[in-house]
């Protein structure tokens, strides 16, 4: 289902809060983190509403967004150096990613299809 920008903002905020993350969602300014830039390679646009998170790790950058068809999606960038302390917490980050994507999916299942004129925006 194609979602309006307003729907995406509300749904991302609700999903983030349900996942234990803050509900801060951005759609402006243009992508600046690497994960946001990767989002644009996978169908996101410069003004796509998105939830950024470091997943409580120092070395991971995540960007959650809805694809053009309303599919919950995440892009990640990461870097680790020898001795990085957050390598041991990767399993926790993977669980948080799954939790957020499930919460985003639940939001799409509750969403009402936008009217044609709203979907065009």
């Amino acid at each position: 289902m194609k979602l309006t920008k307003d729907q995406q903002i509300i749904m991302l905020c609700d999903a983030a809060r349900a996942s234990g993350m803050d509900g801060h969602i951005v759609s402006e300014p243009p992508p600046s983190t690497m994960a946001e830039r990767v989002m644009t390679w996978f169908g996101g646009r410069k003004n796509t509403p998105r939830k950024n998170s470091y997943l409580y790790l120092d070395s991971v950058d995540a960007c959650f967004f809805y694809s053009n068809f309303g599919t919950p999606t995440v892009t990640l960038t990461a870097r680790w150096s020898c001795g990085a302390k957050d390598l041991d917490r990767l399993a926790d980050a993977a669980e948080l990613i799954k939790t957020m994507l499930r919460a985003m999916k639940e939001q799409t299942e509750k969403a009402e299809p936008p009217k044609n004129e709203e979907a065009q925006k």
Side-chain angles (χ1 to χ4, degrees):
M1 166 177 32
K2 190 157 177 80
L3 302 166
T4 68
K5 187 174 179 178
D6 289 339
Q7 280 179 306
Q8 292 175 53
I9 291 169
I10 292 166
M11 292 165 57
L12 280 167
C13 182
D14 290 347
R17 287 184 177 147
S19 301
M21 292 190 271
D22 70 72
H24 180 71
I25 308 303
V26 298
S27 59
E28 302 292 335
S32 59
T33 70
M34 285 304 296
E36 287 178 314
R37 290 180 191 152
V38 172
M39 170 198 70
T40 66
W41 302 346
F42 291 100
R45 295 197 168 104
K46 290 180 180 180
N47 65 346
T48 296
R50 55 204 177 265
K51 167 64 184 145
N52 295 318
S53 176
Y54 292 103
L55 305 173
Y56 304 105
L57 300 173
D58 295 332
S59 303
V60 177
D61 176 22
C63 179
F64 294 92
F65 65 101
Y66 288 100
S67 74
N68 293 336
F69 303 105
T71 305
T73 307
V74 64
T75 56
L76 301 169
T77 57
R79 56 117 190 101
W80 286 278
S81 301
C82 183
K85 298 196 181 351
D86 58 2
L87 271 170
D88 294 334
R89 297 188 352 245
L90 282 178
D92 295 336
E95 285 303 314
L96 182 54
I97 290 168
K98 288 191 275 186
T99 298
M100 178 65 174
L101 291 173
R102 277 192 297 264
M104 290 170 67
K105 185 173 189 238
E106 288 171 9
Q107 291 296 317
T108 59
E109 291 167 351
K110 294 190 302 187
E112 302 225 359
K115 297 179 181 117
N116 283 341
E117 59 274 4
E118 289 177 343
Q120 299 298 323
K121 293 181 184 178

